[in-house]
């Protein structure tokens, strides 16, 4: 099956610590994988972009030439695109789903090595720390609902499957079929392990409504989906080094999807 797709990500990285610090509210939001349409019919193309959320609207970002990994998963198949493939920018940012279901598009950006001063640490933890090296990981994922040609939905386990990204926000229920007023459980992972204490924030694109919580010791958090439409979930974490000489780890992830409208006559 030829399932073309691309994705980009901004992810959360967390290693379990005895008392994990949480990130301060003033830190800039992580990049989001933008999709021209989050609900399409099979065969209908969509385009992808990378965006930095900002007050008053998102700022477009350059699509990375060499992401660490990006993939598209749909209806039991997965298409991986290595960074050295001879693809044009349009090829990299265009998806034509060949099967109905829910397409998972994910990208891991290359890790960045940064040097943080005491003020930067205070922004994240509320407490100052000595200047130190920090390894920053960012990933982003989007879920695109792909209907049959007649508009009818297709059952697909893809949205709740584990992506395998370095950092991921995994829905434990399919958010593309979750009616408004429902709770959405998610689990945050870092390198395949549940991220205890991760900070998790959900934002509704149209109203700006924000829901925030902290994951439990297994990395699980519950978020109330109050409106239909586009939502972006973000996770953030900062982890102190376990051994002397190691870098701190800062990790960020986003997951974007569209919650459906409540159908007339559907139970509330």
């Amino acid at each position: 099956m030829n399932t073309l797709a691309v994705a980009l990500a901004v992810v959360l990285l967390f290693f379990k610590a005895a008392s994990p610090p949480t990130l301060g509210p003033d830190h800039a939001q992580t990049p989001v994988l933008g999709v021209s349409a989050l609900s399409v019919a099979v065969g209908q193309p969509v385009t992808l972009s990378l965006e930095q959320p900002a007050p008053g609207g998102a700022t477009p970002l350059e699509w990375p030439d060499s992401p660490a990994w990006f993939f598209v998963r749909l209806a039991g198949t997965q298409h991986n695109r290595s960074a050295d493939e001879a693809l044009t920018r349009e090829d990299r940012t265009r998806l034509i789903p060949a099967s109905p279901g829910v397409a998972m598009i994910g990208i891991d950006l290359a890790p960045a090595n940064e040097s943080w001063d005491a003020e930067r640490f205070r922004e994240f933890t509320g407490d100052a720390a000595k200047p130190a090296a920090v390894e920053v990981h960012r990933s982003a994922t989007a879920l695109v609902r792909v209907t049959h040609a007649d508009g009818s939905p297709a059952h697909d386990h893809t949205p709740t499957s584990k992506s395998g990204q370095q950092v991921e926000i995994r829905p434990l229920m399919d958010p593309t079929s979750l009616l408004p007023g429902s709770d959405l459980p998610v689990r945050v992972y870092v390198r395949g392990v549940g991220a205890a204490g991760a900070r998790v924030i959900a934002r509704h694109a149209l109203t700006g409504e924000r829901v925030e919580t902290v994951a439990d010791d297994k990395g699980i958090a519950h978020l109330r989906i109050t409106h239909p439409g586009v939502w972006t979930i973000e996770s953030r974490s900062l982890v102190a080094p376990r051994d002397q000489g190691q870098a701190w780890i800062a990790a960020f992830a986003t997951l974007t999807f569209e919650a459906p409208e409540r159908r007339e006559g559907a139970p509330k």
Side-chain angles (χ1 to χ4, degrees):
M1 178 183 303
N2 182 18
T3 306
L4 299 179
V6 198
L8 173 66
V10 188
V11 157
L12 154 72
L13 180 58
F14 180 91
F15 288 103
K16 187 173 181 180
S19 180
T22 57
L23 305 190
D26 297 330
H27 177 68
Q29 295 170 337
T30 50
V32 171
L33 181 60
V35 184
S36 59
L38 289 165
S39 181
V40 298
V42 64
Q44 180 181 346
V46 295
T47 55
L48 308 172
S49 60
L50 185 62
E51 301 173 350
Q52 178 71 52
T59 301
L61 298 175
E62 192 77 11
W63 188 269
D65 290 328
S66 300
W69 182 41
F70 68 85
F71 67 92
V72 173
R73 182 182 301 166
L74 174 63
T77 67
Q78 180 162 310
H79 181 77
N80 300 308
R81 294 194 172 190
S82 60
D84 61 354
E85 282 188 274
L87 298 173
T88 66
R89 174 150 310 201
E90 183 177 278
D91 290 332
R92 291 181 182 276
T93 58
R94 192 166 186 263
L95 161 66
I96 303 177
S99 300
V102 178
M104 176 188 290
I105 309 171
I107 186 166
D108 286 357
L109 301 183
N113 295 316
E114 300 180 3
S115 180
W116 287 11
D117 58 19
E119 187 60 33
R120 187 77 184 276
F121 276 107
R122 185 180 293 110
E123 178 185 343
F124 275 71
T125 67
D127 297 316
K130 293 181 180 180
V134 179
E135 185 177 297
V136 182
H137 294 255
R138 297 182 173 92
S139 301
T141 308
L143 299 175
V144 178
R145 186 192 305 116
V146 183
T147 67
H148 292 279
D150 63 1
S152 60
H155 182 66
D156 191 352
H157 294 293
T158 299
T160 57
S161 63
K162 204 164 180 290
S163 74
Q165 293 169 277
Q166 285 292 299
V167 186
E168 64 176 292
I169 303 170
R170 178 188 180 187
L172 301 182
M173 297 174 64
D174 179 4
T176 71
S177 61
L178 198 65
L179 294 178
S182 303
D183 284 339
L184 173 64
V186 300
R187 191 176 187 189
V188 179
Y189 294 90
V190 175
R191 296 179 180 176
V193 178
R199 181 180 174 193
V200 184
I201 304 159
R203 295 180 179 86
H204 184 240
L206 183 60
T207 65
E209 182 171 339
R210 171 187 171 115
V211 180
E212 183 172 347
T213 188
V214 175
D216 65 15
D217 60 358
K218 295 181 180 179
I220 297 174
H222 294 263
L223 301 160
R224 176 60 59 91
I225 302 303
T226 52
H227 302 286
V230 178
W231 286 83
T232 295
I233 300 175
E234 178 184 357
S235 57
R236 310 175 182 180
S237 183
L238 178 66
V239 184
R242 293 184 175 184
D243 298 315
Q244 188 173 4
Q246 290 184 337
W248 289 67
I249 296 175
F252 308 91
T254 56
L255 171 68
T256 302
F257 62 91
E258 184 176 36
E261 295 275 356
R262 183 178 292 277
R263 299 180 301 276
E264 186 175 350
K268 296 183 178 181

